[in-house]
């Protein structure tokens, strides 16, 4: 059974909002501290072009780690899968998203997957363009192409707040540079990465991107193959194995939807062959995933039989 109305979604939002009290909003990027703990909103988008939203769905959020799926698709489109995966691995880590530990123990020294920060930084390095501005514009154009949202822009306050405090990410970059995974100026790469993470979207934008991934890269309403089928499949597979960081296993069991979270509280879901889901709930659990959002997805998955397993 598909979702039939915003009212159905609103009932689930109302039921799950209470869980937000058990988490806290991200504060390691100072500008993210301003988020309201009990915000919760969701959109669902179907391949025939209709969708529903509930909660404060006009509010925008920054992509944060959800951008890692989009940059991965673009980098593989630019360079080919073989090139990308010679430099970044394909295995889950079980470590926190910003961990440096496995970089040293894994031989040869390459990040274990594109969803942890080290891997994502290496992937962003691979996006083609004459300079940072052009590479960022290519990412934003890609997002605009799918969402048709003319408001897509970088939240400069969030980007600069992260740029000033991203010293752990800088250290990951220097490690990658030492081991020849990247060869660009670290400040330039951090500049691009923090802007990529600070691209603003709505829940409906995330649902639309999720829907294109769910449909193997194909947008039914316009007949366009936006992402090659193989690349969409790779993205969805990483979303299952590493999209919710070291909570990906439990999420696969309880929800069963390829999904990617970000520390702003966003989650993008791609239900294979069915629909895309976008969610915003800034109160996070200890692993950095939206605490009320995960509950909401769990209930939706049961109600609409969304698990792929
Ligand atoms: O690299 C960072 O710290 C962030 N801009 C993105 C991290 C993130 O969203 C992790 N997600 N759960």
């Amino acid at each position: 059974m598909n979702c039939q109305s915003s009212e159905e979604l609103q009932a689930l939002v109302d039921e799950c909002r209470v869980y937000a009290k058990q988490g806290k909003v991200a504060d390691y990027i100072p500008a993210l501290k301003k988020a309201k703990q009990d915000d919760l909103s969701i959109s669902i988008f179907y391949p025939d072009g209709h969708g529903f939203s509930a909660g404060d769905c006009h509010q925008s959020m920054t992509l944060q780690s959800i951008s890692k799926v989009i940059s991965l698709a673009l980098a593989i489109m630019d360079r080919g899968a073989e090139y990308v995966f010679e430099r970044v691995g394909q295995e889950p880590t079980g470590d926190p998203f910003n961990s440096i530990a496995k970089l040293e123990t894994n031989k040869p020294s390459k990040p274990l997957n594109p969803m942890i920060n080290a891997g994502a930084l290496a992937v962003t390095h691979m996006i083609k363009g004459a300079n940072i501005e052009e590479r960022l514009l290519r990412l934003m154009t890609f997002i605009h192409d799918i969402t048709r949202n003319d408001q897509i822009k970088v939240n400069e306050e969030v980007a600069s707040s992260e740029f000033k405090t991203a010293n752990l990410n800088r250290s990951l970059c220097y490690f990658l540079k030492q081991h020849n995974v990247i060869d660009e100026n670290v400040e330039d790469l951090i500049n691009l990465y923090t802007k990529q993470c600070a691209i603003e979207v709505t829940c409906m934008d995330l649902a639309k991107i999720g829907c294109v991934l769910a449909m193997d890269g194909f947008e039914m309403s316009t007949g366009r193959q936006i992402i090659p089928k193989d690349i969409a499949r790779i993205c969805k597979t990483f979303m299952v194995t590493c999209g919710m960081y070291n909570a990906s296993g439990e999420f696969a069991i309880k929800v069963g939807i390829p999904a990617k979270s970000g520390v702003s509280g966003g989650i993008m879901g791609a239900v294979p062959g069915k629909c895309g889901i976008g969610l915003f709930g800034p109160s996070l659990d200890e692993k950095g995933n939206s605490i009320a959002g995960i509950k909401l997805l769990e209930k939706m998955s049961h109600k609409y039989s969304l698990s792929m397993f």
Side-chain angles (χ1 to χ4, degrees):
M1 175 185 74
N2 283 349
C3 172
Q4 305 290 341
S5 69
S6 295
E7 287 72 29
E8 281 179 28
L9 289 181
Q10 188 62 52
L12 293 173
V13 167
D14 293 341
E15 204 183 322
C16 294
R17 200 186 294 278
V18 62
Y19 293 102
K21 294 204 186 336
Q22 294 169 20
K24 64 194 228 357
V25 304
D27 56 8
Y28 79 99
I29 299 173
L32 292 183
K33 273 192 243 176
K34 293 183 183 166
K36 287 209 290 255
Q37 191 189 20
D38 64 351
D39 266 353
L40 188 61
S41 43
I42 185 137
S43 296
I44 187 162
F45 189 76
Y46 290 100
D48 65 1
H50 81 284
F52 302 105
S53 297
D56 187 8
C57 48
H58 299 295
Q59 190 165 325
S60 56
M61 72 195 101
T62 54
L63 276 173
Q64 300 303 332
S65 281
I66 299 170
S67 69
K68 293 169 181 174
V69 178
I70 299 159
S71 56
L72 177 65
L74 195 55
I76 305 179
M77 284 159 79
D78 277 357
R79 308 270 181 184
E82 199 178 331
Y83 180 99
V84 171
F85 296 119
E86 266 167 19
R87 290 156 180 83
V88 178
Q90 302 174 55
E91 302 304 331
T93 68
D95 293 329
F97 65 88
N98 52 6
S99 175
I100 199 164
K102 294 263 168 52
L103 271 185
E104 212 179 356
T105 52
N106 193 38
K107 296 284 178 241
S109 274
K110 66 177 189 184
L112 273 178
N113 68 65
M115 300 294 120
I116 52 167
N117 283 8
L121 287 159
V123 165
T124 297
H125 169 70
M126 295 179 218
I127 293 172
K128 284 187 178 169
N131 49 41
I132 302 298
E133 290 71 31
E134 192 178 309
R135 287 152 77 195
L136 180 66
L137 186 65
R138 290 194 58 232
L139 262 171
M140 292 175 65
T141 306
F142 187 58
I143 294 168
H144 181 261
D145 206 28
I146 298 176
T147 61
R148 312 284 164 85
N149 176 356
D150 293 327
Q151 307 299 316
I152 300 285
K153 62 176 185 339
V154 170
N155 180 323
E156 294 293 346
E157 186 197 351
V158 173
S160 96
S161 178
E162 181 173 359
F163 185 80
K164 285 183 200 140
T165 52
N167 294 321
L168 192 49
N169 282 339
R170 284 187 175 82
S171 66
L172 292 172
C173 287
Y174 280 110
F175 194 97
L176 296 175
K177 199 165 179 177
Q178 178 68 23
H179 291 275
N180 302 314
V181 180
I182 66 169
D183 61 4
E184 77 177 298
N185 177 290
V186 169
E187 290 307 297
D188 285 348
L189 181 54
I190 292 288
N191 184 10
L192 175 56
Y193 175 76
T194 49
K195 288 192 168 132
Q196 160 192 323
C197 287
I199 294 172
E200 277 190 339
V201 292
T202 62
C203 286
M204 190 49 92
D205 294 332
L206 290 183
K208 287 180 179 173
I209 301 169
C211 189
V212 166
L213 289 169
M215 300 308 288
D216 291 336
F218 187 71
E219 190 179 58
M220 250 175 63
S221 55
T222 58
R224 296 182 305 162
Q225 187 73 41
I226 299 179
I227 304 169
K229 186 174 177 177
D230 260 17
I231 299 179
R233 185 183 56 77
I234 292 171
C235 290
K236 272 182 292 190
T237 312
F238 278 120
M239 288 162 79
V240 171
T241 57
C242 337
M244 306 298 284
Y245 297 104
N246 41 337
S248 298
E250 190 179 340
F251 186 84
I253 290 168
K254 290 189 173 162
V255 182
I257 297 174
K260 182 75 203 84
S261 67
V263 283
S264 57
I267 301 180
M268 175 175 77
V271 187
K274 284 192 180 163
C275 62
I277 295 173
L279 179 152
F280 176 59
S283 182
L284 307 180
D285 61 21
E286 71 288 352
K287 291 183 175 164
N289 296 316
S290 173
I291 192 162
I294 287 185
K295 280 285 174 198
L296 180 49
L297 289 176
E298 210 178 306
K299 288 188 192 292
M300 275 180 79
S301 177
H302 286 140
K303 181 163 179 163
Y304 303 117
S305 305
L306 299 179
S307 176
M308 62 184 287
F309 299 108

